[in-house]
Amino acid sequence: MSLLRLPSSIDVAVIGAGAAGLSAARRLAAAGVAVVVLEARDRIGGRAQTVGREGFGLDLGCGWLHSADENPLAVLGRAAGFAIDETPPPWWQQAFNLGLTPAELAQFSEAWSDFEDRLARAAEGGQDRPASDLFLPDDRWNARMDAISGALNGTRFAQVSTLDQAAYRDTGVNWRVVEGYGTLVSSLGEDVPVALDCPVERIDRTGPVLRIDTARGRIEARVVILTLPTSVLASEAVRFDPPLPDLVEAAAGAPLGLATKLFMAVDGADDFPPDSQLWGRTDTAQTGGYHLRPFGRPMIEAYFGGDLARGLEDEGESAILDFAVTELSDLLGSGMRRRLQPLATSMWGADPFSLGAYSHVLPGQGDPDTGARARLARPIEDRIFIAGEATSRTAFGTAHGAWAEGERAAIEVLAALGVDPRLSSPDEMTVAR
């Protein structure tokens, strides 16, 4: 993608070229609205990022098409010729029955189902408190549940609102994009005007038009759509004049957790069943999940969440690799140390344009009408709109949730500009490969 010249003025400036930003820009462009996307990185896709290693596309960010049977990105991907793999995820397995017998796996599955039932009842009663309050005292599975929360929320259940956790909706159908989810999302932005290497520093809202100061100069816009991660908004990396303390407070109420991925090549991969799963330990949340031979490839995809991921990222990529190799060697024998080679590591917590992976709502901030997500989605002065996975009430933490929220914000902007949103449809936009 060539470097786009920054226009001096525009109808709508979309800040951030992740799934939400690209979705919003596509819808606005289809309606004939002059739009530009301002992206701080030198690439598009945001936290959907595929890197090439060993001839494969590896997803450092989102990798699964959740609720795939109704996920618009699955439809767009297929229409564009992407290969969609429908192999079910192995998340509830434990390869070789290491550390857990089949009977124990069944016990954990039942304990998890009971926990979800308690969450649902608490939410029905309007209880907005830490989800960990619904653990059974001294239950052997509590630590494992917190490990699962690290994968789901990027944090422990003590930091997650019962109302928000219960609101998440998933059909249970999960597919993958063989070429990479990040490759798919990026392809959707190939026809969108994006100014790369263009971090926004300040938005002046004192006049009739919004003045946006970027590292590449100033641009004026009638309307702005903000699709920045909540942790970036809460850090006030983008300054507003006058300030917007309510926006900062709402963003802080739905902070980003952290999920860190490590891909490793493995010698003798045929020793492991394809698309199988191992958890390092069952007695602590300080453990990793290991997807053995994803897509049947000769590699292992390691996944760390929550405070474990934070601590490992603070120590650096070598510490992430050492932790994974140690856990796998403990499970599969000391010979594993010689069989593993690192291929790629995500460092979303250290990325200044992310500061984490995906949002969760803190206890006390989960009310669907007055909580953090609702406040984030509320337009400001009818000319500043916020969109992203964090504003989704039921699909937060997902690329398709961000995509749908970008569409929602674009429709609201069209209404604010006096343009009938029925005159355009995102389906009219071609998907480029």
Side-chain angles (χ1 to χ4, degrees):
M1 183 176 290
S2 59
L3 194 64
L4 179 76
R5 181 178 178 181
L6 197 66
S8 60
S9 64
I10 201 80
D11 286 336
V12 182
V14 177
I15 301 176
L22 297 178
S23 172
R26 282 164 54 92
R27 183 59 187 256
L28 292 168
V33 173
V35 59
V36 67
V37 183
L38 310 177
E39 171 54 49
R41 297 183 176 93
D42 61 359
R43 61 172 182 84
I44 63 175
R47 285 169 280 164
Q49 182 185 14
T50 304
V51 297
R53 299 289 189 276
E54 306 286 306
F56 303 110
L58 310 183
D59 279 316
L60 295 184
C62 53
W64 289 90
L65 291 154
H66 298 299
S67 298
D69 51 341
E70 58 184 41
N71 187 323
L73 292 170
V75 176
L76 287 169
R78 280 207 163 118
F82 282 87
I84 306 298
D85 186 280
E86 298 186 15
T87 303
W91 301 325
W92 294 96
Q93 303 174 12
Q94 184 75 353
F96 311 112
N97 297 323
L98 286 172
L100 282 177
T101 66
E104 287 174 319
L105 275 172
Q107 291 170 14
F108 174 70
S109 178
E110 183 178 357
W112 180 265
S113 180
D114 290 345
F115 173 64
E116 289 190 314
D117 287 344
R118 293 193 296 273
L119 271 173
R121 289 195 299 271
E124 288 171 2
Q127 298 178 34
D128 190 357
R129 54 190 176 121
S132 60
D133 285 0
L134 303 179
F135 286 171
L136 298 179
D138 301 319
D139 190 280
R140 68 167 292 192
W141 301 117
N142 290 345
R144 184 168 173 80
M145 289 189 194
D146 257 340
I148 300 294
S149 183
L152 296 176
N153 301 303
T155 192
R156 294 178 185 243
F157 275 126
Q159 298 298 311
V160 177
S161 161
T162 50
L163 288 179
D164 197 61
Q165 181 71 24
Y168 182 78
R169 182 181 176 276
D170 193 302
T171 67
V173 178
N174 297 279
W175 300 339
R176 289 170 294 176
V177 183
V178 175
E179 299 89 341
Y181 206 158
T183 302
L184 167 58
V185 171
S186 295
S187 77
L188 298 174
E190 290 187 5
D191 292 332
V192 172
V194 181
L196 298 174
D197 297 311
C198 191
V200 171
E201 299 163 350
R202 175 176 171 268
I203 298 176
D204 183 343
R205 57 192 187 91
T206 57
V209 298
L210 298 166
R211 293 191 290 270
I212 306 165
D213 292 327
T214 81
R216 291 179 51 192
R218 172 174 286 185
I219 178 174
E220 295 186 344
R222 296 170 63 188
V223 175
V224 160
I225 299 179
L226 279 170
T227 69
L228 300 177
T230 52
S231 290
V232 174
L233 289 173
S235 73
E236 299 188 77
V238 175
R239 304 188 313 278
F240 290 90
D241 183 18
L244 291 173
D246 288 346
L247 173 60
V248 173
E249 183 181 285
L256 294 195
L258 184 58
T260 300
K261 287 185 179 181
L262 164 67
F263 288 89
M264 296 169 286
V266 57
D267 291 334
D270 288 344
D271 291 347
F272 309 113
D275 279 311
S276 56
Q277 179 83 14
L278 277 175
W279 281 94
R281 294 176 62 179
T282 63
D283 60 343
T284 177
Q286 299 288 102
T287 190
Y290 302 93
H291 189 159
L292 309 180
R293 294 182 62 195
F295 296 103
R297 297 167 179 170
M299 59 184 62
I300 295 174
E301 180 181 357
Y303 194 99
F304 312 100
D307 51 359
L308 172 61
R310 295 275 180 199
L312 290 175
E313 283 203 12
D314 287 346
E315 294 183 47
E317 293 187 35
S318 60
I320 299 171
L321 175 63
D322 182 67
F323 188 94
V325 170
T326 297
E327 281 211 311
L328 288 170
S329 296
D330 289 344
L331 287 166
L332 300 168
S334 59
M336 286 299 296
R337 288 190 175 274
R338 298 186 298 273
R339 299 172 63 180
L340 298 169
Q341 295 294 327
L343 295 175
T345 309
S346 71
M347 298 286 285
W348 296 113
D351 183 337
F353 306 125
S354 291
L355 300 179
Y358 36 69
S359 67
H360 60 278
V361 166
L362 299 176
Q365 295 283 337
D367 187 278
D369 298 316
T370 61
R373 297 197 194 280
R375 292 168 62 196
L376 281 171
R378 200 171 295 146
I380 300 167
E381 300 172 341
D382 217 25
R383 59 178 182 165
I384 299 175
F385 299 78
I386 294 85
E389 54 86 11
T391 61
S392 175
R393 296 190 180 193
T394 59
F396 43 86
T398 70
H400 73 274
W403 187 265
E405 284 299 291
E407 176 101 349
R408 183 266 308 161
I411 291 171
E412 291 178 353
V413 167
L414 291 174
L417 295 176
V419 178
D420 188 342
R422 294 174 298 179
L423 298 177
S424 69
S425 167
D427 294 334
E428 295 169 7
M429 297 287 289
T430 58
V431 180
R433 284 293 303 275

